[in-house]
């Protein structure tokens, strides 16, 4: 199993479990997967989404929960909730196209990217700042929650 601690949360195979009193953060870095994990800004994502060829060459996934996805979503992204990881991990990992992962702020999607790269050798692009940054910097009509 893959164990990562973030703040007061410990992640095991991308499932969160609280850890009382845990203060130190052990973060999985962007460069630890042999270049398989990269990041793009929300502005760059917006530009790339306008390129039909690019869109056809990647898998666009939003790992937020269904209720988050219903508040606001970016067109073209498929909702694959992190809480249902076991239901979609195998299908996604068998693909050959790079994954573009998105969440509310970019933390959960980075965890997914790191896991897909480390365990399945799948290239993954994390959207920095997630839907919250997309709303603030690109398109305020995309709904967000507080």
């Amino acid at each position: 199993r893959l164990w990562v601690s973030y703040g007061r949360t410990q992640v095991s195979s991308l499932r969160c479990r609280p850890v009382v009193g845990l203060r130190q953060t052990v973060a999985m870095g962007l460069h630890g997967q042999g270049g398989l994990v990269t990041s793009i800004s929300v502005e760059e994502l917006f530009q790339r989404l306008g390129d039909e060829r690019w869109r056809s060459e990647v898998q666009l996934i939003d790992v937020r929960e269904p209720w988050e996805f219903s508040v606001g979503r970016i067109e073209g992204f498929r909702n694959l909730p992190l809480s249902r990881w076991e239901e979609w991990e195998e299908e996604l990992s068998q693909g050959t196209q790079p994954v573009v992962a998105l969440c509310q702020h970019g933390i959960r999607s980075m965890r997914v990217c790191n896991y897909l790269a480390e365990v399945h050798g799948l290239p993954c692009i994390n959207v920095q700042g997630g839907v919250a940054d997309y709303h603030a910097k690109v398109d305020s009509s995309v709904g967000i929650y507080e």
Side-chain angles (χ1 to χ4, degrees), residues 109-139:
S109 55
M110 177 55 76
R111 289 180 179 148
V112 168
C113 281
N114 282 318
Y115 183 86
L116 289 172
E118 183 175 320
V119 176
H120 299 291
L122 193 61
C124 193
I125 301 168
N126 182 54
V127 179
Q128 294 174 326
V131 174
D133 267 8
Y134 196 89
H135 169 86
K137 298 176 180 178
V138 175
D139 184 356

Side-chain angles (χ1 to χ4, degrees), residues 68-87:
E68 294 174 282
F69 191 73
S70 70
V71 171
R73 65 184 196 88
I74 298 173
E75 187 177 330
F77 278 82
R78 180 175 159 200
N79 187 219
L80 299 176
L82 193 53
S83 63
R84 297 183 192 155
W85 172 255
E86 293 85 11
E87 296 173 18

Side-chain angles (χ1 to χ4, degrees), residues 18-139:
V19 177
V20 178
L22 182 64
R23 296 274 182 210
Q24 187 173 5
T25 299
V26 179
M28 295 177 70
L30 282 173
H31 307 291
Q33 310 306 329
L36 290 175
V37 177
T38 58
S39 292
I40 60 172
S41 68
V42 292
E43 295 91 350
E44 186 177 356
L45 173 68
F46 177 74
Q47 290 176 346
R48 288 188 178 191
L49 288 174
D51 179 352
E52 203 57 44
R53 181 174 170 229
W54 182 80
R55 285 177 69 140
S56 70
E57 295 174 349
V58 296
Q59 300 179 74
L60 301 171
I61 67 166
D62 184 328
V63 299
R64 296 176 301 153
E65 296 305 309
W67 72 267
E68 294 174 282
F69 191 73
S70 70
V71 171
R73 65 184 196 88
I74 298 173
E75 187 177 330
F77 278 82
R78 180 175 159 200
N79 187 219
L80 299 176
L82 193 53
S83 63
R84 297 183 192 155
W85 172 255
E86 293 85 11
E87 296 173 18
W88 56 264
E89 175 194 5
E90 185 176 342
E91 173 195 340
L92 190 67
S93 67
Q94 291 177 2
T96 58
Q97 295 177 313
V99 172
V100 178
L102 172 76
C103 66
Q104 187 68 13
H105 295 287
I107 296 170
R108 288 174 284 178
S109 55
M110 177 55 76
R111 289 180 179 148
V112 168
C113 281
N114 282 318
Y115 183 86
L116 289 172
E118 183 175 320
V119 176
H120 299 291
L122 193 61
C124 193
I125 301 168
N126 182 54
V127 179
Q128 294 174 326
V131 174
D133 267 8
Y134 196 89
H135 169 86
K137 298 176 180 178
V138 175
D139 184 356

